[in-house]
Amino acid sequence: MNQFSLSLLLVWLLVVLIIGGMKEVNTLGSKIVLHNDDTNFLFEQVSPEIWSINNAFTCWNTLPFQDEILQVKSLGINSHGVGLLVLTSNDLYLAIVPSKKALSSDVTKWINLSSELFRSFIPNFDRLTKLRTNNNGFIIVSNSYFIYCKNQDWNNIDNWSCPIVNNIFQSLSTINDIVVTDWNNLQLLVGTNSGLFITHNYLQQIELVKDIGTVPVMAVSYNTKTTDIAASTQTKLFIYSTIHQRRVWYAFANSGLIDGPYANSLAFDEITNILWVSNTATMISINFNNHFELIRFGSGLDSIPYNTSQLVVVDNISKNQLQTSIWFGTKKGAVRYKKSLHKEEWSYFYGSRYLPEIFTIVNKTVADNGDQEIIDLCVNHCYNYEMTVVATKHGLSILHFPIISYDTKEQHYNNIVFPRHWRSGGLVTQISLSKFGDLNSWNKWNDTTDNDALWSSYFVVYKSLQYQITNNSNDKQIGWKAYEAIEFLLNVTCVTGYTARTINLNYPLHGGKWFKSTCTSDNWYFKSDASSDTVSGQIVSHVFAYYLLADNHNEKTRVKRNLYNILHYIVKNGFLLYDVDGERTKWGVWAPQFLNNNPNFYGERGVNSLEIVSWLLATYSITGDDEFKDAFLYLIDEHFYDINIVNQKLKKPAEVNYSDDQLSFLPYFIYFFTFSQLTEEQHSARKLYERILPVIKISFERAYDYIKKERSIVWNVIYGLYKEKILQQREDNVDWVNPTLQSLQEWPLSLVDWPYYANHRTDIQIDPYKSRGNTLQSLNLIPYSENTFLRWNGNPFELDEKGSGYSEDVPSYWLLSYWTLKYLGKLQ
């Protein structure tokens, strides 16, 4: 190959790398996967800013008025931010939203324009009043008056000009809809109960569109690029367009076009030249060839989440010609349809995570779901991201959609941990709130969970991974402090090798068995009756701390001693866990006589066999003590625990316990990670790992195949560790990387357990089996951005009401997944 040919080849490869999208390029026999928009390092993240009318809950901002919201429209963007006009039953308000709000805490500014501009001569507004805007002003129209105000710098009150304009609409019947086709000449399309009218010569003349007649026109839309017009009557949909090279009106009969009543809202998508039609029964898209497509509610997340649409708004101000957003306002929340070159997706914004609502709360439980009928919405753009404002009768929500990175989201979650979730010297767990959704009301004292040892372990693991990558002393300090808190749960019981579930200073809390520590200097109480998941949290913390967090001989010796004590205590007691009072704990059972011979424990046979085998191998590989090797061989050779592990989980569909997944995947995690850390000199340990590996493969792949539809950010990265470190498959891993990144993107910024309802959704397939708690569940996964599910000991498919708004979860699960991806080289 000559030099010129080689140069051409290099240029071609460079072009492929730049524009290839999701392509596979073979170079020197190896396959490189170039990720497309689904898996790059920037993504869209919804960030709601909620404003409530009546200050029903302190978690939301309070609007400067208590009047009913009639309409909300955009004035565009300037150096001060995005301008919004909010028309209420008494006033017109200007809201200036900081244009670079994104994930910042900048405050929206409100100005009452009515009192400044025209209060003296305008009556109260009503639902028949129409507000329309452009970047330099607005009109307010009714049968009684016409207001036209202009301002090149609309945030400056002194610059507003409101010239008197002739009101030619007094003689018309009720006005149903208005579209401005020419702001310079104030040319309007006016849909009334007596027909469609067009104004001319700065409102000096008005003309009836005779092709439609004097029938009520309910909705109107105008395409500024093609000058096409759409108008809806109670029986027909009229479109003024070019047909056979002529500009004519063409009519569709409603009965042959749409289900249910007339179209109540119309909107042109000027990027694709598609007309969107909505009514309370369905939605329709009509393209430039007059081909229409009916969008019904159906089964699966590729269909609309909820119907009964009352208005449709198209994002025609986006500068991105490769994607478009269509918004629908429904009787229960807002729906967005987003289409790009790579994918189409529906999003649903409903519930108090996204919209203000009022409901009854009894004993911190939502007794009824609020009314979230959409009154109006408008789409804006803040430089490179979309911002949509949604109005309900309880207030409005400004939904920001900034483009962020995984690193930005990681920083956001780190800010959540401190100070709210960091307690008792380093335990990191969920917190409770005394006021609905109000993070300022978190309980600064005595805020424990039932199992802090387990939940805090996720934080220790993530900090260990982070320190391995960053080698930052601050990461080490925080991680080691969290490890010491896990260690203290061992020491506070005064029984070597036995762990507490959680602790509290000065007095015991309600629920469970509590004991006063007799070997600590402070007045500590600890919750006892440790379970297998408590021990799992301990083991995984010590394993990752030993390999990734402990830097020197003293630290490693300390971790090794703690791990030895835990497993020694279990082995010497016949693979049972005994409490400080000498009684066997309820769930600390790994003994053969229970798992293999007691019918009451058959459901735990596979999971508990996996746990003890994984722990014994990890402890042997770290301590080198033959006690654990012998225990392992005893359970495998004499009691066939390897056979037990194959069917790690045996449950009927109605008995699926998602806590068992957590009990299983942490031991898998421990096994894969410790196996990957073995040195060439650890021949004996490697032999034991390799002996059990075929069974672990069968068991794990069977388990993962069942749960992968959940797109769990934690279980997925454990699967990734298995593929990368055990199977040595480091190339084409989009089967787990892409779903993990999708879930990381969907994870909501707010980790409050906002109330959640999904029974009314039309995009779900109902599972014929009810959940373990006898509740409805779906076969398809609802996006995590629209769910209140945040940890994997619960059911992500459950549809019945859940969430209370009175707790905030810890982001350790997201952070663990993020840093594991970095550890595996999947995020740079």
Side-chain angles (χ1 to χ4, degrees), residues 526-544:
F526 64 91
K527 187 172 185 178
S528 197
D529 195 26
S531 60
S532 59
D533 50 355
T534 315
V535 180
S536 276
Q538 282 281 348
I539 301 297
V540 76
S541 297
H542 299 306
V543 163
F544 277 82

Side-chain angles (χ1 to χ4, degrees), residues 192-246:
T192 74
N193 276 352
S194 56
L196 176 66
F197 292 86
I198 301 177
T199 67
H200 301 286
N201 300 327
Y202 213 81
L203 299 184
Q204 296 302 310
Q205 296 175 310
I206 189 166
E207 173 190 0
L208 173 69
V209 177
K210 297 180 180 179
D211 296 81
I212 295 178
T214 57
V215 297
V217 174
M218 313 310 296
V220 184
S221 185
Y222 178 72
N223 189 326
T224 61
K225 291 185 176 180
T226 65
T227 68
D228 289 354
I229 301 171
S232 167
T233 73
Q234 294 175 335
T235 59
K236 294 180 181 180
L237 174 65
F238 289 86
I239 297 179
Y240 182 71
S241 184
T242 301
I243 300 178
H244 302 319
Q245 300 180 345
R246 290 185 300 142

Side-chain angles (χ1 to χ4, degrees), residues 128-193:
L128 296 179
T129 306
K130 306 303 175 187
L131 170 68
R132 299 296 181 263
T133 60
N134 72 350
N135 291 340
N136 300 318
F138 64 87
I139 61 171
I140 302 178
V141 182
S142 77
N143 289 95
S144 303
Y145 50 82
F146 186 99
I147 304 170
Y148 176 37
C149 294
K150 298 183 293 184
N151 191 345
Q152 295 289 339
D153 184 19
W154 37 253
N155 56 288
N156 189 334
I157 292 296
D158 295 334
N159 289 347
W160 280 99
S161 170
C162 299
I164 298 176
V165 179
N166 178 40
N167 183 12
I168 60 175
F169 304 121
Q170 293 178 340
S171 61
L172 299 181
S173 57
T174 301
I175 297 174
N176 297 315
D177 199 5
I178 283 183
V179 174
V180 181
T181 61
D182 183 350
W183 280 91
N184 292 327
N185 297 302
L186 281 186
Q187 182 169 305
L188 281 65
L189 292 168
V190 185
T192 74
N193 276 352

